[in-house]
Amino acid sequence: MKRTAAMKTDPTAEPIVRMEKLNKHFGQLHVLKDIDLTVAPGEVVVIIGASGSGKSTLIRCINGLEEFQQGHLDVDGKVLKPHGKASKTLQQIRTEVGMVFQQFNLFPHLSVLDNVTLAPRKVRHASRDEARQTAERLLERVGIADQAHKYPAQLSGGQQQRVALARALAMEPRLMLFDEPTSALDPEMIGEVLDAMRELARDGMTMVIVTHEMNFAREVADRVIYIHQGEIIEQGTPDEVFDNPQNERTQSFLSRVLTH
Amino acid sequence: MDITFQFDWQAAFASIPYLLKGIPYTLLISFGGLAIGFVIGIVFGLLRISPVFWLRWPAIAYIEIFRGTPVLVQVLFIFYGLPQLLGGPIDAVSAGIAAIAVNSGAYISEVVRGGVQSIERGQREAGLSLGLSQIKTFRYVIWPQAFRRMIPALGNQGIISIKDTSLFAVIGVGELVRQGQIYIATTFRALEVYLMVALLYLVITLTLSLALRMLERKGLVGQ
Ligand SMILES: Nc1ncnc2c1ncn2[C@@H]1O[C@H](COP(=O)(O)OP(=O)(O)OP(=O)(O)O)[C@@H](O)[C@H]1O
Ligand SMILES: [Mg+2]
């Protein structure tokens, strides 16, 4: 039941992410080259590309986990400067941008409930009760309400990743970033995480997703971006990119990943 | 002669009340010094991993100096040397506490550094990406995990420092060994008294070991 970008996104609204001619180097390595990317409210953007092409680096620039050297970047109306280190602006952006990691990165010393309530309590200064109610509602929504008092190590990978999703959603973000959220999961657990993400997309969350799950990408994406050696060399609707890729590198990449 | 093989249990037990007078000093110097050493260790351990060069190098210098010199020399320096600089005497107990503090502080700095650095990078990234500040990420995410991993090494340092206080008999602190020496001077029962001294150290260090093991087991919940 995919809605088109035109239906759920308002093209006149201010974009949540605006990247212009963004360049990023790791020492000698030029990892991101003149990236132009805007993400509109409500849009679901999926980034695909080979290993080492710069997908992770790209989405980690959006919440300042990586700094960049040249170009313009604003997120939720706040400008992130090149060479930007820790700053108040960066922290404000991070409270509005949630992230789900490949390795879950749950806090192992905290219960599931405390994982989800930590940031609302310490950043948003929510009361304990308030934060707990929100957490229970979110855990319910991702289908693990009954695990609230367990510790991360007592959960399966799929459950852990759904807790990580609830933890990010507890901050009521305007934008969610996903860096290969299912790549560390056993095959039988991938579905439950994708289901939770699907529901989030249906509810209108703005999402930028790095994934190798091409069927999922085709289903939820409003726009698919193919990145090759740090450059965006193709983008369009899933139908355009998957069924009729223009660039031969995209064609060869897709022929490799879609045959499996 | 059979007299050299005679172990006098009565003399051994008789020495205990006298030796026990040394225990408060042993405990005061070791735990007082370790408490200060722990604070030093947190501060210098974190400075040691600071990305800022001029914060890092004083920490490195401190650690190398106090880890690289004997605690006996440190206490002699503090007790006999520092008064020449300060212009007034330092009492022996304070000198002992100070020596344990600076010495254990150097080792604990390295324990803190190792503990903090052992936490996966993803933990910090997860904290920051939730909007927690650097300081709150450290306080609520990194430190509780690092501290748990530090417990065995901290316990080790505690035991080493408790035993180090035995050296402070040389500056006349009335701790366990010093009490033993005084008692032997009048009774000539070195074998019995030193055995009791050794046993009393064992009681202290085993108690600490046990307490730490319980703390560790508690910490294991949820790992
Ligand atoms: N911290 C770093 N220091 C130096 N080089 C790095 C660093 N992180 C990534 N790189 C390099 O930057 C390039 C892009 O890495 P990135 O992780 O963004 O790729 P990716 O597209 O996410 O790959 P994958 O699909 O394997 O996750 C790679 O060549 C990688 O080796
Ligand atoms: Mg990656």
Side-chain angles (χ1 to χ4, degrees):
Chain A
M1 287 275 93
K2 200 185 86 193
R3 284 174 291 179
T4 65
M7 277 168 62
K8 68 175 199 178
T9 63
D10 173 5
T12 61
E14 274 296 296
I16 292 194
V17 180
R18 185 179 356 212
M19 257 185 199
E20 284 160 11
K21 296 256 171 296
L22 185 132
N23 281 276
K24 156 92 189 159
H25 303 258
F26 280 119
Q28 296 293 318
L29 191 65
H30 197 171
V31 197
L32 296 177
K33 299 167 187 160
D34 286 338
I35 299 283
D36 289 313
L37 171 71
T38 56
V39 180
E43 201 179 4
V44 175
V45 174
V46 168
I47 300 172
I48 59 171
S51 180
S53 57
K55 307 179 296 295
S56 297
T57 310
L58 176 59
I59 70 165
R60 287 160 58 87
C61 281
I62 297 174
N63 69 349
L65 287 182
E66 301 288 355
E67 58 170 54
F68 57 97
Q69 281 81 34
Q70 294 119 36
H72 172 86
L73 171 60
D74 66 69
V75 181
D76 199 26
K78 298 175 197 76
V79 176
L80 261 176
K81 295 205 175 65
H83 306 286
K85 300 273 190 235
S87 70
K88 202 75 203 159
T89 314
L90 182 52
Q91 201 197 323
Q92 281 169 356
I93 288 174
R94 284 168 174 164
T95 62
E96 304 298 333
V97 178
M99 186 165 203
V100 171
F101 301 85
Q102 183 175 348
Q103 301 297 338
F104 328 139
N105 295 349
L106 290 181
F107 306 133
H109 60 299
L110 299 179
S111 70
V112 164
L113 189 66
D114 290 341
N115 264 273
V116 181
T117 58
L118 180 69
R121 290 182 58 207
K122 302 303 174 191
V123 181
R124 299 244 194 252
H125 305 288
S127 74
R128 189 184 286 268
D129 276 351
E130 215 180 319
R132 204 198 59 233
Q133 281 166 15
T134 311
E136 282 170 351
R137 180 170 53 75
L138 287 167
L139 290 171
E140 177 93 52
R141 179 169 161 191
V142 297
I144 28 181
D146 49 339
Q147 315 283 337
H149 295 286
K150 289 196 176 164
Y151 283 87
Q154 297 169 296
L155 303 183
S156 73
Q159 291 173 323
Q160 288 190 51
Q161 193 61 303
R162 286 182 286 149
V163 173
L165 180 58
R167 178 177 70 174
L169 293 177
M171 287 297 283
E172 298 178 341
R174 299 203 54 215
L175 165 69
M176 282 291 302
L177 307 174
F178 295 84
D179 190 0
E180 301 198 29
T182 58
S183 296
L185 295 176
D186 292 336
E188 73 271 20
M189 291 171 186
I190 291 174
E192 63 197 47
V193 171
L194 294 183
D195 282 343
M197 290 171 65
R198 227 174 247 127
E199 194 189 316
L200 197 59
R202 214 180 295 130
D203 290 348
M205 176 63 79
T206 313
M207 298 161 81
V208 178
I209 306 167
V210 174
T211 187
H212 293 298
E213 296 293 328
M214 296 301 163
N215 291 330
F216 172 74
R218 186 188 278 274
E219 190 187 332
V220 303
D222 296 309
R223 186 148 52 106
V224 175
I225 288 177
Y226 175 65
I227 177 167
H228 176 78
Q229 293 181 359
E231 277 180 280
I232 295 178
I233 63 170
E234 180 134 9
Q235 59 177 309
T237 64
D239 293 346
E240 287 166 355
V241 174
F242 288 124
D243 298 334
N244 191 16
Q246 302 298 304
N247 192 297
E248 64 183 53
R249 294 213 187 79
T250 320
Q251 291 162 7
S252 86
F253 171 75
L254 288 172
S255 70
R256 268 180 285 133
V257 295
L258 292 178
T259 46
H260 308 304
Chain B
M1 310 279 186
D2 57 357
I3 199 158
T4 51
F5 295 98
Q6 192 81 42
F7 186 90
D8 186 346
W9 284 103
Q10 217 162 346
F13 290 131
S15 74
I16 287 179
Y18 197 82
L19 295 178
L20 285 178
K21 285 193 231 162
I23 295 228
Y25 288 103
T26 296
L27 293 180
L28 174 67
I29 295 169
S30 28
F31 286 99
L34 282 165
I36 301 169
F38 186 55
V39 175
I40 294 176
I42 293 173
V43 173
F44 282 78
L46 295 181
L47 290 178
R48 171 76 182 75
I49 44 183
S50 163
V52 183
F53 173 77
W54 54 266
L55 289 179
R56 197 168 58 235
W57 79 258
I60 295 176
Y62 161 76
I63 293 166
E64 293 302 337
I65 288 169
F66 287 96
R67 225 175 34 163
T69 52
V71 67
L72 181 57
V73 175
Q74 289 163 10
V75 79
L76 292 173
F77 182 89
I78 292 168
F79 187 65
Y80 294 111
L82 273 193
Q84 287 183 16
L85 286 176
L86 302 176
I90 296 175
D91 73 276
V93 172
S94 303
I97 291 175
I100 293 294
V102 294
N103 185 265
S104 70
Y107 285 96
I108 293 172
S109 297
E110 286 294 272
V111 171
V112 168
R113 174 173 80 98
V116 169
Q117 286 182 333
S118 78
I119 305 302
E120 303 67 31
R121 199 175 63 153
Q123 291 292 307
R124 182 165 173 274
E125 293 183 345
L128 293 177
S129 75
L130 285 165
L132 292 165
S133 64
Q134 307 259 2
I135 289 173
K136 285 181 179 171
T137 298
F138 181 77
R139 167 148 176 229
Y140 297 112
V141 177
I142 310 291
W143 179 253
Q145 297 184 63
F147 182 71
R148 272 174 210 194
R149 292 193 192 173
M150 284 159 46
I151 290 174
L154 288 175
N156 224 2
Q157 184 56 45
I159 287 170
I160 290 170
S161 290
I162 288 168
K163 294 186 297 178
D164 279 350
T165 62
S166 64
L167 297 166
F168 302 165
V170 296
I171 57 166
V173 182
E175 46 68 67
L176 247 174
V177 169
R178 179 84 185 134
Q179 294 298 333
Q181 289 173 338
I182 296 170
Y183 194 72
I184 291 163
T186 53
T187 61
F188 306 104
R189 287 288 176 186
L191 179 66
E192 290 81 358
V193 175
Y194 280 133
L195 183 74
M196 288 302 116
V197 167
L199 286 176
L200 286 173
Y201 275 111
L202 252 184
V203 169
I204 299 172
T205 55
L206 285 178
T207 308
L208 181 63
S209 281
L210 213 72
L212 285 165
R213 201 160 306 161
M214 272 154 63
L215 192 66
E216 242 181 283
R217 199 170 309 148
K218 230 171 92 186
L220 279 180
V221 177
Q223 289 288 300

